[in-house]
Amino acid sequence: MESIGEQSTGHHFIHQRIAEDCAAGRYEGRVHTRFPPEPNGYLHIGHAASICLNFGMAEAFGGLCNLRFDDTNPIRETSEYAESIMEDIRWLGFDWGDRLFYASDYFEQLYQLALELVRAGKAFVCDLSIDEIRAHRGTLTEPGRESPYRDRSIEENLALFQGMRAGDFPDGSKVLRARIDMGSPNLNLRDPVMYRISRARHHRTGDSWPIYPMYDWAHGQSDSIEGITHSICTMEFEDHRPLYDWFIEQLGIHHPRQIEFARRNLSYTVMSKRHLLRLVEEGHVAGWDDPRMPTLSGMRRRGYPSGGVREFCERIGVGRRENTVDISLLEHCIRQDLEGRALRYMGVLNPIKVVIENYPEGAEEELEGPLHPTDSSFGSRVLPFSRELYIEATDFMEDPPRKFFRLGPGREVRLRYGYFITSKDVVKDPDTGAVVELRCTYDPDTRGGQAPDGRKVKGTIHWVSARHAQTVEVRLYDRLFSVSDPTDVPEGGSFLDHINPDSLTVIHCPVEPALRTLEAGAVIQFERQGYFCVDREDSRPGAPVFNRTVTLRDSWKGGAGGEKA
Ligand code: ATP
Ligand code: MG
């Protein structure tokens, strides 16, 4: 791990810096953070890392964490997004108490602060178009050129800015700019735009503001207004910090400490909102909460427990170098979380019929199986048994190799919580030659899975009674992309070229009858197959639809997962 001093305290560098501030009595030992999303999309797993960090630091230091929507761009923002963001944060297990804020609540305060800068000669109204401003801006190697409007008098600037606020000028005709330094090596300090004129309707303030603050102007002042002590943000804001500091110093208002950390990416998926929006809008997925999406709503629908997601965020750690985390670590954390508490059932994904020739026709009995293999407190469920069963077609081979411990001609296996059965004969499709039915016998003395003569079998397979089974829809989800970095495409290519064509397979399969009573959202294990979640949207009472949450095969290679090259 690269984090400074990681070895000495076991804490990441942000934790350490906050601890240092507290020890030094900075901010009177107060810790107050915030999570500041723009309500212009659904939250994804990268945001979860930021949420865990901000709320986690507040918790660790006995402080507070606000939720603030940085809603300064009305064109892309909606209250639907804001609602979904709140639901996701609650689901993750965090609580902002009564501290839900919106940058738009500060529009008047921000306007007053801007007037202060104008009065101090630190901001001016500029009539250049956005394109002209860009052309004047210079490059990393060349200084910018000053605007011809830069030396307007304070009185003129005041009148013009008040006119902008009053709606006297058309959209895009003027901006308010900070008056800093067009020769600064930091482009963010070259007289950045603070306000633009736009008649866009805002989802909270409606039509009351014909001007909107730029993010860079609103963000730092909003943190200051809220008394935030530690403004944790991602690395791209490192170069904006001098600007944020400049605003705050000119105004002489409360000065939070900004600390940057690197974004986390995840393999086999995309994380940019632009890409996610495209997946949704072009119908490559069924919506923001499609279980294949890296969104928190997608993960919730897929059955990922929030505890597993939080554990993942903990394990990827906090660093200053951007990196991509292996998605198998996330899947590993999900399995670990579910292992101890998901109830076990049997369902046959790829069924083949078995007829037990020596079991009386029309007879049936009730067997019993525990709902969890190691925790008896979960109790058990009834497993009806009869002459005709389904087992997994892949649990039989006509010509099995030696290491295949399941069914083959003449071989004996254990039916989970049932009897020993022996394969006697097969029925084939006369046209294709494919095996379509197995004819077996059972040993009535092995009820419950033990032979009184101590005879052993190597294999145990899952099954359901054909007559009692319920057929349900099962959605087998796989990774959405077939390559680790879908955005790595040649000229003219698109990340969409890498969509995994098999990311969703819908099947209908027999499952044991006890599953009928599961509630929407419940996550269970189909023994030997994986974890599955009862879909919240499409399940009906008595007719669950199952989403595969994750398979049982764990491909995680170990390690912490954070700062791997
Ligand atoms: P954009 O600003 O382009 O709309 P964003 O991903 O930055 O997209 P925000 O709503 O601004 O979205 O993000 C809220 C917070 O989450 C920000 O503080 C941001 O830095 C943090 N964040 C976003 N993506 C990641 C990520 N992949 N890893 C860690 N933190 C992230
Ligand atoms: Mg952002």
Side-chain angles (χ1 to χ4, degrees), residues 252-268:
I253 55 178
H254 166 75
H255 197 156
R257 179 176 189 185
Q258 176 169 313
I259 309 175
E260 304 90 12
F261 75 105
R263 279 179 189 259
R264 292 299 189 226
N265 300 306
L266 193 59
S267 63
Y268 294 95

Side-chain angles (χ1 to χ4, degrees), residues 35-38 40 44 46-47 50 76 234 261 263-264 273:
F35 175 65
E38 293 168 67
N40 60 5
H44 55 60
H47 294 119
S50 177
R76 291 160 63 211
T234 37
F261 75 105
R263 279 179 189 259
R264 292 299 189 226
K273 282 182 196 164

Side-chain angles (χ1 to χ4, degrees), residues 151-396:
D151 294 319
R152 278 177 162 153
S153 70
I154 288 175
E155 291 65 39
E156 188 182 2
N157 280 322
L158 262 183
L160 288 173
F161 185 46
Q162 284 163 341
M164 283 169 64
R165 197 271 171 262
D168 295 346
F169 307 112
D171 283 14
S173 60
K174 294 184 193 317
V175 293
L176 182 76
R177 295 175 71 176
R179 195 168 185 279
I180 313 180
D181 179 7
M182 288 309 287
S184 170
N186 184 336
L187 272 73
N188 294 303
L189 295 177
R190 295 185 186 169
D191 295 1
V193 175
M194 295 169 61
Y195 277 92
R196 62 201 187 282
I197 306 176
S198 163
R199 261 70 178 184
R201 198 188 164 77
H202 189 279
H203 74 106
R204 299 193 76 241
T205 58
D207 296 319
S208 52
W209 286 88
I211 56 172
Y212 288 102
M214 301 301 288
Y215 185 88
D216 273 348
W217 164 243
H219 185 76
Q221 275 47 250
S222 300
D223 277 353
S224 177
I225 289 168
E226 290 177 16
I228 299 303
T229 59
H230 296 86
S231 302
I232 302 171
C233 61
T234 37
M235 289 307 296
E236 71 270 23
F237 292 104
E238 192 173 29
D239 291 344
H240 298 238
R241 176 155 33 98
L243 173 60
Y244 296 176
D245 288 346
W246 187 88
F247 282 136
I248 280 180
E249 281 157 20
Q250 302 309 312
L251 295 165
I253 55 178
H254 166 75
H255 197 156
R257 179 176 189 185
Q258 176 169 313
I259 309 175
E260 304 90 12
F261 75 105
R263 279 179 189 259
R264 292 299 189 226
N265 300 306
L266 193 59
S267 63
Y268 294 95
T269 190
V270 291
M271 215 88 105
S272 117
K273 282 182 196 164
R274 194 164 41 87
H275 287 151
L276 295 176
L277 187 64
R278 236 184 119 186
L279 287 170
V280 172
E281 284 186 338
E282 293 180 14
H284 301 289
V285 294
W288 285 99
D289 70 344
D290 185 296
R292 291 165 292 181
M293 292 282 272
T295 53
L296 297 183
S297 49
M299 292 183 181
R300 181 162 64 241
R301 185 155 176 199
R302 185 158 173 167
Y304 281 17
S306 57
V309 174
R310 280 199 311 272
E311 170 66 15
F312 171 74
C313 292
E314 183 72 29
R315 289 189 57 172
I316 61 178
V318 180
R320 297 206 16 113
R321 211 172 351 117
E322 187 152 339
N323 72 355
T324 298
V325 183
D326 189 342
I327 197 170
S328 62
L329 173 60
L330 173 60
E331 293 163 349
H332 171 80
C333 292
I334 299 308
R335 279 186 201 98
Q336 294 257 299
D337 190 288
L338 291 171
E339 161 68 29
R341 58 195 188 82
L343 302 184
R344 277 32 173 203
Y345 292 94
M346 293 194 281
V348 181
L349 301 188
N350 177 18
I352 186 169
K353 188 172 264 187
V354 172
V355 178
I356 311 287
E357 293 185 322
N358 59 339
Y359 196 87
E361 254 173 275
E364 63 176 66
E365 65 188 287
E366 288 186 344
L367 301 170
E368 198 181 328
L371 282 164
H372 193 277
T374 56
D375 188 340
S376 59
S377 69
F378 288 109
S380 62
R381 85 285 195 193
V382 165
L383 286 160
F385 185 85
S386 64
R387 180 180 155 91
E388 295 193 357
L389 317 171
Y390 290 113
I391 66 163
E392 217 64 62
T394 49
D395 281 337
F396 173 84

